[in-house]
Amino acid sequence: MGREIIVDGRPLLNFCSNDYLGLAGDERVGAALAAAARDWGAGAGASHLVCGHTRIHQQLEEALAEFTGRPKALLFSSGYAANVGTINALTGRGDFVLQDKLNHASLLDGGLLSGARFKRYRHRDVGDLESCLSAAGNGRKLVVSDGTFSMDGTVCDVAATSAVTQRHDAWLMLDEAHSLGVSGPDGRGLASAPEFTTADVPVLIGTLGKAFGTQGGFVAGSEELIETLIQHARTYIYSTAIPTAIAAATLTSLELAQNEHWRRDRLQSLIARFRAGASQLGIDLADSHTPIQPVLLGDEQSALAASAALEDRGLLITAIRPPTVPAGTSRLRITLTAAHTDDDVDTLLDALGQVVTSDGNRASA
Ligand SMILES: *Cc1c(COP(=O)(O)O)cnc(C)c1O
């Protein structure tokens, strides 16, 4: 995994991974994984509560709590499991789960499974959220939002969302899958900015599979939240712990993510280079200043055709289509990573210029 990926023996420039910091293929992370696999084996052997929780898992939970500025953190086998388990531990029949319309599938699935009354508010529309909160009756209320939205690169207004949520005695759960490692000082994410406390964003979700380049998920928050999840989050209780070696590799990548600032600087300069070049080509860009740079093409056929034409030119950018995104908004979800170079971005722009016409982003393969 890196800037290049081999498909059927042919190297392609990879512009569709979530490996934002370029750590998934980092030698030091791989070496930490290999060394820990020799010491601890390939599998954790059991769930955390039985005998799968090693001191390496404990160290990683403590490091993640420290990183996010929260009292405690709890590991899950994936971000998906963290979301489903957390929403279901915190809400049930008679409660309310309010979600941004463009939230990730794992959040929507968690809400549906909970049996709580389920409402989706307009994307990043705090006014609409407030109406939904006002209309909700008695019962616990959980407001759930992506931090950086996975298919659009837009960002939650944490201050406004949190203010409305607290005004209505609700809790805010923020999924920072795409912002941890990438946004904020040292990559600590959106909710760890100095102006926010744990009370502002009481439930913080992260994945290890994106900027940290490994595998797994976690929840960070108060001691009471984490103890509640240990007792009630079924995807935590009834699932094998991530391999100890993966936890060890993540301790290494977490440290690299914090200390190697050049990775975030590189990413910012690649984002600026891409956006400037694309707008020169007349390509309609989304309002995103994150590594997620979608190029909307509309119907599924256009997105598939553009993806195929880019592959012919040596680039891998899979077409994203319904039901992952709403009908009529099929797109190329371009992602930039710290492993890319300026030349890679220029190659991408060249190919896009040939494949996407400026006239409403139509594929002209
Ligand atoms: C990828 C993603 C997840 C799931 O994380 P995994 O660790 O891959 O299961 C959850 N939320 C969002 C917003 C994501 O993009």
Side-chain angles (χ1 to χ4, degrees):
M1 176 50 61
R3 51 184 281 281
E4 261 186 6
I5 195 163
I6 313 275
V7 179
D8 291 338
R10 179 164 163 253
L12 299 176
L13 258 180
N14 181 6
F15 279 106
C16 59
S17 82
N18 300 308
D19 180 26
Y20 301 120
L21 296 179
L23 290 172
D26 188 278
E27 273 180 27
R28 295 160 294 179
V29 178
L33 178 74
R38 275 192 301 272
D39 290 348
W40 296 88
S47 65
H48 287 270
L49 294 182
V50 176
C51 65
H53 188 78
T54 67
R55 70 181 152 75
I56 308 293
H57 292 96
Q58 185 64 30
Q59 270 175 34
L60 179 57
E61 287 180 345
E62 288 169 14
L64 289 166
E66 208 269 334
F67 180 65
T68 54
R70 263 56 190 171
K72 287 242 174 194
L74 190 70
L75 286 171
F76 284 74
S77 53
S78 68
Y80 193 111
N83 281 337
V84 170
T86 301
I87 294 175
N88 281 276
L90 298 181
T91 64
R93 247 164 250 300
D95 298 328
F96 296 86
V97 175
L98 308 172
Q99 302 215 22
D100 188 290
K101 210 153 197 156
L102 295 189
N103 273 355
H104 188 260
S106 57
L107 296 168
L108 302 175
D109 292 355
L112 290 171
L113 190 63
S114 72
R117 272 161 290 179
F118 187 68
K119 263 234 123 46
R120 293 166 81 181
Y121 57 90
R122 286 196 294 272
H123 181 47
R124 298 180 70 241
D125 187 335
V126 177
D128 194 32
L129 167 60
E130 174 127 56
S131 316
C132 292
L133 280 165
S134 301
N138 293 326
R140 280 177 285 199
K141 299 177 200 81
L142 183 67
V143 172
V144 183
S145 180
D146 278 25
T148 294
F149 286 83
S150 54
M151 295 299 132
D152 295 80
T154 45
V155 176
C156 173
D157 181 343
V158 178
T161 307
S162 164
V164 169
T165 301
Q166 291 185 71
R167 208 153 54 233
H168 288 266
D169 260 332
W171 292 330
L172 176 58
M173 170 168 164
L174 192 71
D175 179 350
E176 297 226 54
H178 299 278
S179 39
L180 286 174
V182 174
S183 305
D186 302 331
R188 287 171 201 274
L190 305 168
S192 308
E195 65 268 32
F196 301 126
T197 65
T198 303
D200 295 311
V201 184
V203 188
L204 195 163
I205 304 289
T207 173
L208 308 178
K210 284 161 187 161
F212 302 124
T214 60
Q215 176 78 42
F218 72 94
V219 182
S222 68
E223 172 120 22
E224 292 81 352
L225 171 72
I226 299 305
E227 288 302 325
T228 301
L229 295 180
I230 291 172
Q231 300 299 327
H232 295 287
R234 295 168 66 84
T235 57
Y236 173 80
I237 300 166
Y238 298 108
S239 196
T240 304
I242 56 170
T244 309
I246 291 285
T250 311
L251 278 168
T252 299
S253 67
L254 181 60
E255 207 165 296
L256 297 173
Q258 288 177 74
N259 298 335
E260 297 193 340
H261 299 282
W262 65 264
R263 292 180 187 273
R264 273 175 295 280
D265 296 344
R266 159 88 61 84
L267 208 39
Q268 284 314 312
S269 95
L270 294 173
I271 293 167
R273 189 181 189 89
F274 173 74
R275 290 186 64 83
S279 81
Q280 236 168 42
L281 290 168
I283 292 171
D284 257 346
L285 286 177
D287 181 24
S288 162
H289 296 271
T290 72
I292 302 163
Q293 294 289 330
V295 173
L296 265 70
L297 289 158
D299 64 280
E300 305 178 26
Q301 289 319 316
S302 303
L304 286 167
S307 176
L310 289 166
E311 188 166 338
D312 288 343
R313 291 163 174 81
L315 296 151
L316 184 70
I317 306 171
T318 45
I320 304 287
R321 293 162 284 152
T324 306
V325 292
T329 70
S330 290
R331 65 197 67 186
L332 298 170
R333 176 182 178 266
I334 294 168
T335 51
L336 302 168
T337 81
H340 290 126
T341 64
D342 285 356
D343 283 351
D344 293 340
V345 169
D346 294 347
T347 304
L348 167 65
L349 287 165
D350 256 4
L352 278 178
Q354 294 166 32
V355 165
V356 178
T357 68
S358 52
D359 151 30
N361 282 354
R362 262 205 295 273
S364 66

